[in-house]
Amino acid sequence: MPGLGTSFGRGGATTNLQDLSNADCILIEGSNMAEAHPVGFQWVMEAKRRGATVIHVDPRFTRTSAVADQHVPIRAGSDIAFLGALVNHVLSNDLDFREYVVAYTNAANVIDEDFQDTEELEGLFSGYDPEAGQYDPITWRYRPPAEMTDQERQRAEELEDEERRDQEGSRHQESHQAARSESHGSGGAPVSWKGLRDETLQHPSCVFQILKRHYARYTPEMVRDVCGIEPEQFRRVADALTRNSGRERTTAFCYAVGWTQHSVGAQMIRTASILQLLLGNIGRPGGGIMALRGHASIQGSTDIPTLFNILPGYLPMPNAAHHQSLDAWVADDEGKAGFWGNVRSYAVSLLKSYWGDAATADNDFCFDYLPRVTGDHSTYTTVKAMIEGRCKGYFVVGENPAVGSSNGKMQRLGMANLDWLVVRDLQLIESATFWKDGPEIETGELVTERIGTEVFFLPAASHVEKAGSFTQTQRMLQWRDQAVAPPGDCQSELQFYFDLGRRIRARLAGSTDERDRPLLDLAWDYPLDAEGGPEPESVLREINGTGPDGAALSAYTELRADGSTACGCWIYCGVYADEANQARRRKPHWEQDQVAAEWGWVWPANRRILYNRASAAPDGTPWSERKRYVWWDAEARRWTGADVPDFVPDRAPDFVPEEGATGPDAIGGRDPFVMQTDGKAWLFAPLGLADGPMPTHYEPAESPVRNPLYGQQSNPTRKQVRSPANPLNPSWSEVYPYVFTTYRLTEHHTAGGMSRTLPYLTELQPEPFCEVSPRLAAERGLEHLGWATIVTSRTAIEARVIVTDRLRSLRLGDRFVEQIGLPYHWGGNGITTGDSPNDLVNLTLDPNVYIQDKVGTCDIRPGRRPRGPALPAYVADYRRRAGIPEAGEET
Amino acid sequence: MADPRTFLGWPLLRQVTGADRLGRGHAARSERSDRLTPRTASADRVVDSVCPFCAVGCAQKVFVKDGEVIQIEGNPASPISRGRLCPKGSASKQLVTSPTRVTKVRYRRPYATDWEDLDRDTAIDMIADRVVETRRKYWEWEADGPDGRRRTRRTLGIASLGGATLDNEENYLMKKLYTAMGAIQIENQARI
Amino acid sequence: MGSLWGGLDDVQADAGYDADHPPRMGFFTDTSVCIGCKACEVACKEWNDVPDDGYLLTGMSYDNTQELGASTWRHVAFVEKPAVDLGMPTVGPPRDADQSAASGDAGIRWLMSSDVCKHCTHAGCLDVCPTGALFRTEFGTVVVQPDVCNGCGYCVSACPYGVIDLRKDDGRAFKCTLCYDRLKDGQTPACAQACPTESIQFGELDELRERADRRLAELHERGVDVARLYGRDPEDGVGGDGAFFLLLDEPEVYGLPPDPVVPTRTLGSVWKHVGYAAAAVAGLGVAAFSGRRR
């Protein structure tokens, strides 16, 4: 996540689940941890047993709230206002951990004199281009140091050149469109210089002072009016956090998609990062930010991505505007301070693992074989391309977009307009059967006999029928052994894609077309296992990388840019160290300390808590005995402690890099954030984020509330997917007066393909429902266990009504806001069926990562929804009443 | 096994002679109860695995007998999960052995109203043909930009959406193959 | 020997086991840390091959299982209660005037508790079983033997907790066995092994009672005055439970009887029942069993 990546240098959770038990306070927000991660939650309960305070901030009173010390009901999507007020509370009461903040963050950096804040521009930062809906971040940059090095001076001149060119063309905008910020998964955004610093924090343009001014209007009273949280509740949270932070105590944060899935999702995470940095809680035991991923290997799916904008290890996909050569591809980052400065060796090693012997220094290591991006090619934009007939073939692999993706109708319309579709899953999910029984068949919007999509359903192997590794939520790779063979036609993805690759290559064999070279030169030979697929461990070994002698490497520091090493994912280098599958290590926890370094393998370099150099004071001694973790052993002249130090092992705390040093050599002894190009954690992001250097509260694209903080209502850089199938409810509309939010139940899993097909889970939560407050039930005449119809401008769905005090009516000033809870696990197939709440959700995306906003507005009425063609007519009537132009009427 | 229902084995007769005067304990124990062992004790092998649901990564032990999964439970050795599982993890045997699981390839012809059978080999051949054809048809060497034509070397005709229950090794091969194909609209649940 | 009520130091010896029998095993379910995930329900069903129990949205909070029964051997109760001032800083938000004005509620407590067969010291089901299908194991637990049960149903009405029941399509009585098969192999019962937060604790009953006493004292010390133990007392109407609980409210709130009493406490003699059973066996026992096997 760029929220974490731009703040700290890596996009992964900074800590691990077990370490939560060392926290003195845990704030869970944007996550319903007890329900979505019950087994991980044992460590929260462990902390509580040891006396920690547990706070849950959430729109709903959930099973997490039930065991928390304090539940704070909040209006969905208003988290930045709440967290920003906590930042303000810390800054205006001098409650920050000053020594930590000065030494380890960019609080002291002085920002460009042309920078203007939202205070001055009514909710916008300087550099906004209203036509493009984008920022040019040039004025957000660090002010150069008083005395520049030759290198820095050269860079300054280059920047001015670039700036001139940008004004002439639009290259800059395109890099933004390519979700460049997501490539900070392991390697921060590259600043041009470490910059001018004022460690007294008095300079009016230093980050600390800018931050103070930016958050000054985020008061407890504002929190009441924006979030619906009473000042007294707010104060209790503020006191708990500040009381439990500092030298002796630490506070941990946990979040999940309750933050990610917003049009300001990355910035919500950023606000938590700022707060945790001010409180000095990053890199320390019992501290950190625990990003709770929702699927077995969602962390792995970004580390070794199947994402359009990045390659393994968060190397950016080349952008046609900037990257037409290997040199140009790595230029932005190469040579910068920190380990990201060695990007060329990571990039070349990846190309070597892709194209093997064909990749040589003479041909730029086959750089040209990489396809280039030219903007946004994310899933929702691609679905739009399907609807418009520009994308014709689609692989859907262990995923159910017809139910699990937002605006399900768009997904189904897209799939109905393909030439061919391959679906691989365990069960016949809705994405495989939409052409015969999807909701649009019922309404007549689609007709089976007129859908030309050729559909292949290929049965998949389950997790026990194949060997392989998942990367779980704390960046840990854990290997699964194969228990049984897949039944019938079932195959693993490994077997299928290997086989498909072989067959495609066979068809192109002998081709002299330059287009086919990347496929024909591809290193696609793997030792075969008993079932004729590639030996899974051989693939892991390729990911790990090999040296000039062909032996497995043990660390990414061994990678070279001369083509002598190959590595499929540099951050995973070491997982096959000593020719052994380190992810397969299973030394029982009772034979180890709590860090349990010999269970699985964690990237990077098996470090369990990231940035752990910060667990020691600048002089290298532990901040306190109680929070001792990693420290400088002055005698041995090495960092030592409970974990693998996240630092250059022998770099003394007083080390000052030589002028002109590059890469790891440029990391100072007091720079714990070794992936950042300035070694500091970023309270203020001088670049790397599309929507501003500091988090700012904006309303969701659909909101019943006028933004009380600024004239700017919503994220000015949000991405709206423009399609007739994706109309937007107007804000403040009386036609759609209520807020809805979607979520998971413990008893089910995401789009339900893995849970509502199982009797034991289905019986525990057998039907879709909506949760409403007693006040809303009375207002709309909803009966407990009766039916309700929920309407947005996309569609209407029905669900049974649960009236419960767990849903609060929130008071914002003189008005109430009602929130409707919608678990989203159901669809048309499975043991029990029902309408899919994701069909209600609009596609407004976070501009950094193109993740959708799961909050929207709606109406709710008692009774079942209209059937057949009456349904779209009913929804159209709502649109008409709300003044939404129909397709074709748009200007 | 002797039939526990035989009259002579009847616990009521045993009670009068044993210490269990009321026939509620030892004497009432049937032969089945006597011989009862956990089915995991008869497993041919126990295989280490990881739960496929959320991202906590709970360690699982998979008990296999005669090629069938007979039990999946938490592995107490894990420092993260300590042998515990949530309801989904606890139901993962049912996930694997579900009677509604589809184990044969299904094929839907364009404009058809129902599925038909197709052997897997043919299906993969057909998919390979489709990929080659679509790639050729929708190939793009260059695209327009403000500075003129720029090399893109790609196809916008093929897309992919992967779930996050795929293995790292699988994601790796997928991205590698797609990239070599020139397909860039490669996405994942991580974005959703 | 052969006691039917009152405290009992060695329930296994009372059931005829030798002195070297294993210690009495049981459950201590600490509902103050239950997160209502229902892993216990599923783990139990997976292990014991208990069929699903129908798909009914009950509207009783998140409880769609409703009660213990022949096909539900672990049941998680969900109780939504308005939060009143119980001096419980650890549960739920404080009463807040503005909040209460906002939504007509004064905050809420959401209690969750995983219920199970109590494996009573004096087990009514066992005492009345005419066929010897129910028996006391060497671990002091109470188990129905499916190879013996003829589905007469006497046990159903004899259980003061309403735990045991007949499975409709099968006819026989079923309930928690405390995973008798697993215990024989030194393993932990499936529910306790799965429980993410150690709400369900398994172990030697004596040790569990001490642990529960400590936990109760700790909660009282933190001001959670409503915490109390249920089924812990060896002198209660069933002689104490093999599976007992820490609750955060009155037992009735959780659907538990406040003062359960074993029905055989008032029974003249069980020998009468034994006589009935013997007759039943001689007359129609074999016929009753044939055709009931799967």
Side-chain angles (χ1 to χ4, degrees):
Chain A
M1 279 306 298
L4 297 173
T6 48
S7 303
F8 310 125
R10 299 187 188 101
T14 73
T15 180
N16 57 76
L17 289 162
Q18 304 95 292
D19 186 61
L20 291 175
S21 64
N22 297 317
D24 300 296
C25 176
I26 300 173
L27 187 130
I28 303 167
E29 182 172 341
S31 153
N32 179 5
M33 190 177 178
E35 295 197 42
H37 302 88
V39 181
F41 195 71
Q42 68 178 283
W43 300 105
V44 176
M45 295 305 284
E46 191 84 41
K48 197 178 173 216
R49 207 168 278 150
R50 298 182 192 180
T53 303
V54 179
I55 299 165
H56 188 220
V57 184
D58 199 278
R60 299 176 303 124
F61 187 94
T62 69
R63 284 176 262 197
T64 305
S65 325
V67 291
D69 294 294
Q70 189 186 356
H71 170 244
V72 181
I74 185 172
R75 182 166 63 91
S78 68
D79 302 59
I80 290 175
F82 176 70
L83 295 166
L86 290 168
V87 169
N88 183 28
H89 176 84
V90 169
L91 290 176
S92 50
N93 295 296
D94 287 328
L95 294 165
D96 58 298
F97 188 171
R98 188 62 53 88
E99 208 177 335
Y100 182 106
V101 169
V102 170
Y104 298 156
T105 76
N106 67 358
N109 278 77
V110 180
I111 300 302
D112 195 281
E113 51 209 352
D114 291 334
F115 172 72
Q116 284 180 291
D117 187 22
T118 49
E119 291 299 292
E120 293 140 277
L121 301 173
E122 256 308 301
L124 295 171
F125 293 99
S126 49
Y128 185 67
D129 172 354
E131 247 173 69
Q134 291 173 358
Y135 281 109
D136 178 347
I138 191 85
T139 59
W140 309 348
R141 65 183 166 181
Y142 291 163
R143 206 170 287 187
E147 286 175 35
M148 281 202 257
T149 65
D150 289 349
Q151 195 192 12
E152 284 167 340
R153 194 166 302 114
Q154 190 194 336
R155 183 63 189 148
E157 282 160 19
E158 281 170 17
L159 271 180
E160 268 167 40
D161 273 1
E162 261 177 46
E163 177 70 355
R164 228 182 356 261
R165 280 202 313 274
D166 278 348
Q167 282 163 1
E168 290 155 14
S170 61
R171 289 156 47 109
H172 181 81
Q173 295 168 8
E174 284 186 33
S175 357
H176 268 297
Q177 279 177 8
R180 180 66 171 87
S181 42
E182 201 165 34
S183 66
H184 308 306
S186 190
V191 286
S192 304
W193 41 69
K194 291 192 176 183
L196 181 67
R197 283 172 65 85
D198 169 20
E199 300 211 341
T200 69
L201 306 184
Q202 295 309 308
H203 194 295
S205 289
C206 82
V207 164
F208 191 82
Q209 295 297 334
I210 291 174
L211 210 59
K212 229 175 174 171
R213 291 195 297 271
H214 179 75
Y215 287 108
R217 64 168 70 193
Y218 290 67
T219 60
E221 293 68 34
M222 190 60 88
V223 167
R224 182 189 56 210
D225 293 345
V226 178
C227 313
I229 297 170
E230 289 303 316
E232 176 50 32
Q233 288 243 9
F234 172 80
R235 237 164 255 128
R236 278 183 68 194
V237 177
D239 288 349
L241 295 186
T242 51
R243 201 174 54 237
N244 289 299
S245 301
R247 278 179 182 267
E248 296 287 337
R249 302 178 81 77
T250 49
T251 290
F253 275 46
C254 300
Y255 80 89
V257 297
W259 278 353
T260 327
Q261 294 181 341
H262 291 286
S263 52
V264 289
Q267 296 284 9
M268 286 185 184
I269 300 159
R270 275 276 299 143
T271 328
S273 304
I274 292 168
L275 189 53
Q276 281 292 66
L277 286 169
L278 291 173
L279 294 171
N281 283 321
I282 300 296
R284 303 177 61 204
I289 296 182
M290 187 68 232
L292 292 161
R293 312 296 183 194
H295 312 259
S297 198
I298 211 138
Q299 182 68 50
S301 302
T302 46
D303 299 339
I304 297 183
T306 43
L307 291 171
F308 84 88
N309 53 325
I310 46 177
L311 285 159
Y314 300 94
L315 295 166
M317 281 292 282
N319 187 304
H322 304 280
H323 308 136
Q324 293 294 356
S325 68
L326 176 62
D327 286 346
W329 186 32
V330 300
D332 279 352
D333 307 293
E334 188 175 22
K336 294 283 152 46
F339 287 96
W340 189 231
N342 286 343
V343 60
R344 184 186 288 264
S345 61
Y346 314 147
V348 169
S349 296
L350 174 67
L351 293 171
K352 286 297 290 181
S353 70
Y354 272 15
W355 285 290
D357 293 341
T360 64
D362 294 339
N363 63 12
D364 244 5
F365 299 103
C366 294
F367 165 80
D368 186 48
Y369 284 5
L370 294 173
R372 270 64 123 192
V373 298
T374 46
D376 169 14
H377 311 283
S378 69
T379 180
Y380 291 115
T381 304
T382 300
V383 164
K384 188 183 167 209
M386 291 173 190
I387 293 176
E388 293 166 2
R390 290 179 283 119
C391 180
K392 305 307 288 183
Y394 195 17
F395 290 91
V396 172
V397 187
E399 179 71 5
N400 190 8
V403 175
S405 289
S406 293
N407 195 337
K409 181 192 273 184
M410 269 191 83
Q411 302 292 327
R412 295 182 293 266
L413 293 180
M415 289 191 288
N417 200 32
L418 295 165
D419 286 347
W420 51 271
L421 168 68
V422 177
V423 178
R424 297 182 44 82
D425 216 294
L426 301 173
Q427 306 263 357
L428 273 178
I429 51 171
E430 289 79 0
S431 301
T433 67
F434 69 95
W435 48 271
K436 63 189 295 193
D437 53 20
E440 289 72 28
I441 304 291
E442 184 208 306
T443 60
E445 291 161 286
L446 288 173
V447 176
T448 301
E449 292 84 348
R450 280 187 240 141
I451 296 173
T453 309
E454 183 182 32
V455 185
F456 298 87
F457 178 86
L458 302 184
S462 76
H463 73 297
V464 302
E465 292 153 4
K466 60 188 184 186
S469 64
F470 289 145
T471 304
Q472 53 76 278
T473 197
Q474 64 211 49
R475 300 168 277 106
M476 182 189 286
L477 285 83
Q478 298 186 105
W479 190 261
R480 301 183 327 277
D481 292 334
Q482 183 183 15
V484 292
D489 289 341
C490 298
Q491 273 183 315
S492 69
E493 268 54 55
L494 204 67
Q495 292 166 332
F496 170 73
Y497 278 94
F498 176 66
D499 193 11
L500 181 67
R502 280 205 299 199
R503 293 184 202 219
I504 291 170
R505 280 155 51 93
R507 277 160 178 69
L508 300 175
S511 164
T512 53
D513 194 328
E514 170 63 18
R515 180 180 62 211
D516 299 328
R517 290 315 319 160
L519 278 165
L520 295 173
D521 288 342
L522 196 64
W524 204 247
D525 294 314
Y526 295 93
L528 302 184
D529 65 12
E531 286 149 33
E535 188 65 62
E537 283 195 329
S538 73
V539 180
L540 185 67
R541 189 173 179 277
E542 176 174 318
I543 291 168
N544 174 83
T546 49
D549 57 354
L553 298 170
S554 51
Y556 62 74
T557 47
E558 295 167 10
L559 295 173
R560 295 292 169 262
D562 59 5
S564 63
T565 58
C567 176
C569 179
W570 69 276
I571 58 175
Y572 281 10
C573 189
V575 70
Y576 218 85
D578 306 322
E579 298 292 348
N581 183 347
Q582 305 291 331
R584 200 169 177 272
R585 294 182 302 170
R586 300 188 187 108
K587 188 173 184 179
H589 65 86
W590 52 81
E591 294 172 19
Q592 309 188 60
D593 61 14
Q594 197 195 17
V595 173
E598 291 175 70
W599 182 277
W601 186 86
V602 169
W603 76 265
N606 207 29
R607 292 174 183 123
R608 308 288 164 136
I609 293 182
L610 295 181
Y611 324 114
N612 57 36
R613 193 264 171 250
S615 69
D619 67 3
T621 59
W623 287 111
S624 65
E625 264 317 295
R626 192 163 177 265
K627 296 290 171 180
R628 191 181 179 87
Y629 195 66
V630 163
W631 59 92
W632 174 251
D633 180 339
E635 251 171 59
R637 297 201 60 77
R638 288 190 79 79
W639 291 92
T640 185
D643 198 350
V644 178
D646 190 5
F647 208 57
V648 184
D650 58 355
R651 182 140 311 163
D654 56 3
F655 176 82
V656 179
E658 278 175 35
E659 193 173 300
T662 61
D665 294 340
I667 298 170
R670 299 175 176 202
D671 293 342
F673 294 87
V674 295
M675 300 307 300
Q676 294 282 65
T677 48
D678 59 351
K680 306 297 184 197
W682 286 0
L683 298 169
F684 179 103
L687 76 168
L689 285 162
D691 47 1
M694 292 176 293
T696 305
H697 171 74
Y698 301 113
E699 288 293 321
E702 291 185 351
S703 171
V705 174
R706 226 169 264 278
N707 190 348
L709 278 147
Y710 310 99
Q712 178 66 37
Q713 169 77 2
S714 298
N715 186 343
T717 60
R718 72 191 182 278
K719 275 213 51 142
Q720 175 80 32
V721 176
R722 295 190 193 285
S723 162
N726 188 44
L728 197 67
N729 301 350
S731 285
W732 327 308
S733 167
E734 285 173 16
V735 178
Y736 307 105
Y738 305 120
V739 174
F740 72 89
T741 177
T742 59
Y743 54 89
R744 290 184 186 188
L745 300 165
T746 308
E747 298 86 345
H748 282 287
H749 193 57
T750 66
M754 289 166 75
S755 63
R756 62 186 147 78
T757 50
L758 311 185
Y760 288 167
L761 294 176
T762 306
E763 66 176 326
L764 299 178
Q765 291 288 6
E767 260 188 77
F769 57 86
C770 59
E771 294 183 313
V772 298
S773 75
R775 185 181 168 277
L776 175 57
E779 189 167 290
R780 276 291 192 255
L782 304 167
E783 280 177 27
H784 188 63
L785 279 185
W787 287 93
T789 296
I790 302 119
V791 201
T792 69
S793 55
R794 275 72 63 190
T795 192
I797 65 162
E798 64 186 17
R800 300 280 291 280
V801 176
I802 300 289
V803 182
T804 172
D805 288 329
R806 291 182 289 100
L807 264 282
R808 307 287 193 86
S809 316
L810 293 177
R811 191 185 348 226
L812 273 61
D814 56 357
R815 60 171 297 189
F816 290 104
V817 171
E818 291 290 351
Q819 310 190 89
I820 298 165
L822 289 169
Y824 72 95
H825 304 292
W826 283 271
N829 303 351
I831 296 171
T832 61
T833 61
D835 291 348
S836 168
N838 274 328
D839 287 7
L840 296 175
V841 179
N842 85 86
L843 293 181
T844 301
L845 314 178
D846 176 295
N848 297 291
V849 290
Y850 303 145
I851 292 177
Q852 75 286 344
D853 201 324
K854 71 171 185 164
V855 175
T857 57
C858 66
D859 190 18
I860 186 166
R861 297 282 169 177
R864 306 194 69 160
R865 65 165 166 81
R867 311 327 256 198
L871 175 62
Y874 177 77
V875 176
D877 185 54
Y878 262 87
R879 282 199 298 266
R880 191 183 46 71
R881 285 198 282 125
I884 302 169
E886 287 301 300
E889 294 175 23
E890 271 176 292
T891 48
Chain B
M1 196 207 282
D3 187 349
R5 290 166 289 161
T6 56
F7 194 75
L8 284 177
W10 197 245
L12 283 179
L13 295 185
R14 266 191 271 147
Q15 77 199 12
V16 284
T17 54
D20 182 12
R21 304 278 311 276
L22 294 181
R24 295 181 304 179
H26 188 261
R29 197 157 67 178
S30 74
E31 201 169 323
R32 175 189 177 275
S33 299
D34 262 339
R35 295 184 173 200
L36 198 61
T37 54
R39 66 173 177 276
T40 43
S42 67
D44 302 328
R45 57 181 187 277
V46 186
V47 180
D48 283 297
S49 195
V50 176
C51 180
F53 287 95
C54 86
V56 171
C58 300
Q60 294 186 329
K61 288 190 133 3
V62 183
F63 296 82
V64 181
K65 187 177 168 64
D66 300 329
E68 302 283 335
V69 175
I70 58 166
Q71 169 72 354
I72 298 178
E73 60 189 54
N75 181 353
S78 163
I80 302 166
S81 60
R82 297 192 286 189
R84 304 165 196 181
L85 291 175
C86 78
K88 295 186 285 286
S90 296
S92 43
K93 187 186 84 176
Q94 207 165 54
L95 176 79
V96 174
T97 62
S98 161
T100 55
R101 203 175 145 189
V102 180
T103 58
K104 292 282 165 222
V105 171
R106 311 302 294 142
Y107 175 66
R108 188 256 178 176
R109 218 172 273 279
Y111 309 108
T113 56
D114 212 345
W115 294 109
E116 49 190 284
D117 295 334
L118 187 66
D119 77 273
R120 187 176 77 189
D121 201 46
T122 309
I124 302 176
D125 263 337
M126 289 168 74
I127 294 165
D129 289 341
R130 305 292 180 273
V131 169
V132 168
E133 175 59 23
T134 306
R135 180 171 176 269
R136 185 180 299 137
K137 210 165 146 189
Y138 293 87
W139 186 257
E140 180 194 275
W141 277 112
E142 290 183 320
D144 281 329
D147 310 345
R149 303 286 289 171
R150 291 175 314 204
R151 190 171 171 88
T152 52
R153 192 172 194 145
R154 68 185 184 188
T155 173
L156 293 173
I158 299 171
S160 172
L161 182 63
T165 309
L166 306 189
D167 297 343
N168 290 315
E169 296 73 22
E170 296 176 330
N171 280 326
Y172 178 77
L173 281 201
M174 286 168 70
K175 182 75 174 182
K176 185 174 178 178
L177 182 63
Y178 285 137
T179 301
M181 274 160 46
I184 57 167
Q185 296 154 115
I186 306 309
E187 286 278 275
N188 186 278
Q189 199 155 23
R191 176 111 46 217
I192 296 162
Chain C
M1 191 169 288
S3 310
L4 292 171
W5 58 85
L8 197 56
D9 284 341
D10 190 339
V11 70
Q12 292 102 306
D14 189 63
Y17 290 94
D18 295 340
D20 62 350
H21 64 75
R24 184 174 179 189
M25 306 304 280
F27 287 131
F28 164 46
T29 304
D30 178 356
T31 70
S32 72
V33 295
C34 178
I35 54 171
C37 75
K38 310 179 193 170
C40 50
E41 292 196 28
V42 178
C44 170
K45 290 204 171 197
E46 279 282 14
W47 177 255
N48 294 297
D49 216 5
V50 178
D52 70 73
D53 212 2
Y55 308 109
L56 177 73
L57 184 75
T58 67
M60 296 157 51
S61 192
Y62 279 3
D63 177 2
N64 295 304
T65 319
Q66 302 187 73
E67 57 187 5
L68 291 172
S71 297
T72 301
W73 300 357
R74 267 274 174 194
H75 163 241
V76 182
F78 288 78
V79 184
E80 293 183 22
K81 287 195 77 186
V84 287
D85 188 7
L86 294 164
M88 293 176 55
T90 57
V91 179
R95 185 180 264 275
D96 181 316
D98 289 305
Q99 280 294 335
S100 94
S103 59
D105 72 271
I108 183 168
R109 289 197 303 150
W110 201 7
L111 304 175
M112 295 147 207
S113 164
S114 177
D115 196 8
V116 69
C117 168
K118 314 299 177 294
H119 296 275
C120 307
T121 300
H122 300 296
C125 59
L126 167 56
D127 290 347
V128 304
C129 176
T131 63
L134 276 144
F135 83 115
R136 175 84 55 191
T137 73
E138 61 271 38
F139 305 103
T141 57
V142 180
V143 172
V144 201
Q145 303 175 102
D147 53 337
V148 182
C149 177
N150 71 355
C152 74
Y154 286 11
C155 53
V156 176
S157 50
C159 173
Y161 297 98
V163 169
I164 195 165
D165 203 1
L166 303 180
R167 191 176 290 161
K168 284 195 180 59
D169 57 355
D170 177 290
R172 293 175 294 177
F174 292 92
K175 70 164 193 72
C176 164
T177 70
L178 219 135
C179 286
Y180 182 45
D181 47 356
R182 293 174 71 98
L183 260 55
K184 284 180 128 192
D185 199 39
Q187 298 180 35
T188 301
C191 59
Q193 163 137 351
C195 180
T197 57
E198 290 180 303
S199 173
I200 301 174
Q201 301 175 27
F202 163 77
E204 295 180 19
L205 190 60
D206 289 343
E207 204 275 314
L208 289 178
R209 283 173 171 165
E210 285 170 27
R211 212 188 292 177
D213 293 343
R214 282 197 303 274
R215 174 68 180 160
L216 183 68
E218 183 186 303
L219 287 173
H220 284 168
E221 205 169 293
R222 290 188 196 176
V224 188
D225 299 331
V226 287
R228 84 270 325 260
L229 297 179
Y230 177 81
R232 154 77 176 82
D233 180 9
E235 300 302 327
D236 70 13
V238 295
D241 291 329
F244 66 102
F245 301 80
L246 185 148
L247 304 178
L248 294 177
D249 210 323
E250 302 290 342
E252 299 94 311
V253 169
Y254 296 89
L256 294 165
D259 191 19
V261 176
V262 62
T264 42
R265 189 165 177 171
T266 54
L267 205 64
S269 161
V270 291
W271 290 100
K272 198 163 64 183
H273 286 259
V274 173
Y276 285 145
V281 170
L284 44 95
V286 174
F289 286 115
S290 55
R292 190 163 287 142
R293 325 224 72 195
R294 283 186 289 167

